Amino acid sequence: MADSNFLTEHNARHVWHPMAHPAEMRANPPTIITGGEGAEIIDIDGKRLLDGVGGLWNVNLGYSCDAVKHAITTQLNELPYYSAFRGTTNGPLIELSVALAEFFGPDGMVRSFFTSGGSDSVETALRLARQFHKINGQPERTKFVSLKKGYHGTHFGGASVNGNQNFRRAYEPLLPGTIHLAAPYAYRNPFNTDDPKLIADAIIRQFADEIVFNGADTIAALIMEPVLGAGGVIVPHESLMPGLRTLCDKNGILLIADEVITAFGRTGAWSGSRLWGVQPDMMCTAKAITNGYFPFGAVMIGSRIAEAFEADRTAMGSIGHGYTYSGHPVGAAAALACLAETIKQDLPTNAAARGVELLAGLNDLQARHPIIGDVRGKGLMCALELVANRDDKTPAGKDVVGKVYKGAYDAGVMIRTSGNNIILSPTLIISKADVARILDALDAGLKSAQN
C-alpha cells in the first residue's frame, strides 16, 4: 500500500464518497482507516478505536474472522470467478443455497437469488413481486407500499420506496405508484401519541385505508424493515409487522422483509421477521452475510412465490434479471464460512445481552445530558436523538453533532452520525467491557458538545 504521506495528500481529491458532499469531503477529508483487529479499527495515525459502527452494520464477527478469510483465499485459488447465468453454476453457490434454505426455513424461505449487495437485493425483490402477479394473471398489481423513515438502498426501485427525502429529492421523479405509510416513530409522529401500540394500530388502519383507496388489485407488495435502521433505529411495536402481514394476506399483497441489516442476529434474533413472529414472502439480505469481507447478497424466496414461478411454463416465468456477480464463487464461499461461524458463536444471544446493557447505559446518559431527546434500540442497533431543546424537540445543529462525534473519537470509539442522530451498530462479538467503553466515549463526546 502507498505510504501515509501519499494517502493523506490525495485523500478525497480524486474520488467522490458515497452519502457525502464532494466539496465537503475535499475541505474536510475523511478519516483514513488502515487496519482492523477484533472489534477495533486502526486509523492512519495508528490510533485504535472500538468500532461502534460495525463497518456499516455488517462486520458482525469482527475484523479477525480467520474462517471467512481462509474461505476467500482458498476459493480464489480454486475458482476465482465464473458466471451463474443460465447454463453454468459453481459449487459454493449450490452449497450456500442449501445452507440458506435450512437457516431461513423457520421464516418460510425455500429458494435463493444471489446478488452483489443490499440495493441489488431490494431491486430484485421488487421486480420479482411484479412478475409474480403477472404470472398469476394480475398485471395491474404494480404499486408498492413502504414506511416513511424506511431505507431500502440506492437503486431507482429502492430509492422510490425509501421513506427519507435525503435519498429521494435529488433524484426525482422516481417510480410512480409508491405509497408511504407513517413511520412507527414514538418520538415524532402525526398521531399525537407516544404510545407504540397506538401508533402501530394507526399505521395498520392507514394501510387498510390505502388498500381501499388504491384498490387491492393494484398493489404488488409492502416492503419494510423489521427494525428501521438508517432512518434512525426506529423499533416498532411488536404488533405492527404481524398486523400488516394480516392485511397483506387478506388482500393478496406480498410482504417483502428488508433484512439487509436485521438478518443474522443483529436484533438479538436470527432474523428480524422471526423477532416479530412473521413469515414474509421474500427477504432481502446482504451486509453480514459475508461479514462485510466480500460484496454479496441474497433474496430469500418463500414457497408461494417459488411454486408460482416453477409451475409456469410461459416466457413470463423466466427471470430476465440478474447481475454479473450473482452467485460469485468467492462470495458464496465467504457466506458459507460466515454463516457457520455466526451459528457456532451464537451471535444473537450476545447481541441481545450486550444490547440490553447498551440501551440501559444510553438511558442513563439521557438522564444526565439534556441534549439527548430520545433513546431507541433493539439488540445491537441503537440510536441517540440529539436536540437543542427537549420541550419542543428542536433537532440539535450539525456543529453540535460533530462535536459529539469528535469527542467520542478522541476517547477511542468510532460512532456514526446521521442528521441529529448518533447511531450505534457495533460488531456482535463485543464484550461487557466494550459496552462500557462505548458509553464512556459517548459521555465524553456529549460533555464536549455542551461545554
Side-chain angles (χ1 to χ4, degrees):
M1 189 173 71
D3 65 29
S4 59
N5 290 332
F6 178 92
L7 297 177
T8 302
E9 179 185 354
H10 292 278
N11 189 5
R13 289 182 61 185
H14 307 287
V15 63
W16 281 5
H17 286 266
M19 300 298 179
H21 195 297
E24 183 177 346
M25 289 296 96
R26 284 180 66 97
N28 301 287
T31 302
I32 301 172
I33 303 301
T34 59
E37 183 179 0
E40 292 185 321
I41 52 176
I42 305 162
D43 72 14
I44 197 167
D45 297 317
K47 183 178 178 64
R48 282 184 170 267
L49 302 119
L50 181 67
D51 186 12
V53 188
L56 195 62
W57 311 90
N58 55 346
V59 187
N60 286 7
L61 287 158
Y63 295 91
S64 302
C65 189
D66 290 337
V68 180
K69 294 177 182 179
H70 178 71
I72 289 171
T73 54
T74 299
Q75 187 59 45
L76 278 170
N77 288 322
E78 291 179 357
L79 178 68
Y81 173 76
Y82 207 77
S83 164
F85 276 31
R86 179 179 54 208
T88 56
T89 188
N90 63 74
L93 179 163
I94 298 168
E95 288 185 64
L96 180 60
S97 68
V98 174
L100 289 175
E102 180 179 351
F103 180 82
F104 287 110
D107 301 293
M109 303 293 107
V110 297
R111 301 286 187 272
S112 303
F113 186 100
F114 294 118
T115 72
S116 305
S119 292
D120 288 351
S121 292
V122 168
E123 183 76 9
T124 299
L126 295 177
R127 288 183 177 220
L128 293 179
R130 283 186 172 178
Q131 188 174 0
F132 168 82
H133 292 300
K134 287 182 170 65
I135 288 171
N136 286 337
Q138 295 183 294
E140 291 188 0
R141 284 189 180 269
T142 60
K143 296 176 183 175
F144 297 110
V145 182
S146 58
L147 298 175
K148 293 178 180 177
K149 307 297 284 186
Y151 180 77
H152 303 290
T154 56
H155 294 347
F156 259 84
S160 299
V161 295
N162 270 348
N164 188 319
Q165 68 170 349
N166 292 342
F167 310 120
R168 299 171 53 85
R169 189 166 180 179
Y171 311 103
E172 292 175 331
L174 299 173
L175 295 183
T178 57
I179 302 158
H180 288 86
L181 308 177
Y185 190 7
Y187 192 61
R188 301 180 193 271
N189 64 78
F191 305 119
N192 196 33
T193 180
D194 59 2
D195 186 322
K197 178 61 166 65
L198 294 179
I199 294 169
D201 291 345
I203 296 169
I204 292 168
R205 289 194 303 270
Q206 195 178 54
F207 186 32
D209 182 66
E210 291 291 350
I211 292 170
V212 172
F213 178 76
N214 286 274
D217 59 350
T218 71
I219 302 175
L222 165 73
I223 182 169
M224 67 176 291
E225 299 167 278
V227 176
L228 284 67
V233 188
I234 297 171
V235 185
H237 188 266
E238 61 185 11
S239 65
L240 179 63
M241 198 171 182
L244 295 174
R245 165 88 267 189
T246 297
L247 281 177
C248 286
D249 289 341
K250 286 181 179 178
N251 293 280
I253 299 167
L254 299 178
L255 175 61
I256 302 168
D258 186 338
E259 300 258 11
V260 171
I261 289 173
T262 53
F264 307 109
R266 182 155 291 281
T267 67
W270 285 114
S271 74
S273 298
R274 229 174 292 182
L275 174 70
W276 305 129
V278 171
Q279 287 191 335
D281 294 292
M282 286 184 276
M283 300 170 73
C284 304
T285 74
K287 290 195 182 291
I289 197 169
T290 63
N291 200 45
Y293 290 6
F294 195 92
F296 200 81
V299 178
M300 300 307 303
I301 299 162
S303 57
R304 177 162 63 129
I305 294 178
E307 289 164 6
F309 273 82
E310 292 169 10
D312 186 86
R313 291 295 184 267
T314 71
M316 187 55 69
S318 179
I319 298 171
H321 170 77
Y323 304 98
T324 299
Y325 302 110
S326 289
H328 195 295
V330 178
L336 272 167
C338 185
L339 184 62
E341 281 297 307
T342 298
I343 295 169
K344 177 183 175 182
Q345 297 191 32
D346 191 14
L347 292 189
T349 296
N350 192 59
R354 302 291 80 78
V356 168
E357 295 164 0
L358 181 58
L359 194 61
L362 296 177
N363 282 312
D364 179 63
L365 289 176
Q366 183 183 27
R368 295 189 282 115
H369 294 283
I371 193 177
I372 302 175
D374 194 34
V375 171
R376 303 182 289 271
K378 189 70 176 177
L380 283 177
M381 47 190 308
C382 295
L384 297 174
E385 183 163 347
L386 306 184
V387 295
N389 187 309
R390 276 187 182 174
D391 293 335
D392 60 14
K393 301 181 182 179
T394 301
K398 184 177 180 179
D399 60 330
V400 172
V401 178
K403 288 177 181 178
V404 177
Y405 172 90
K406 185 179 185 305
Y409 190 96
D410 290 344
V413 173
M414 174 67 81
I415 61 175
R416 183 184 177 203
T417 63
S418 178
N420 64 314
N421 294 311
I422 303 294
I423 293 179
L424 300 169
S425 53
T427 68
L428 305 193
I429 63 169
I430 62 169
S431 66
K432 191 180 184 75
D434 291 331
V435 171
R437 187 173 164 189
I438 292 171
L439 294 170
D440 287 345
L442 280 171
D443 189 36
L446 291 162
K447 287 176 179 175
S448 67
Q450 295 171 96
N451 287 338

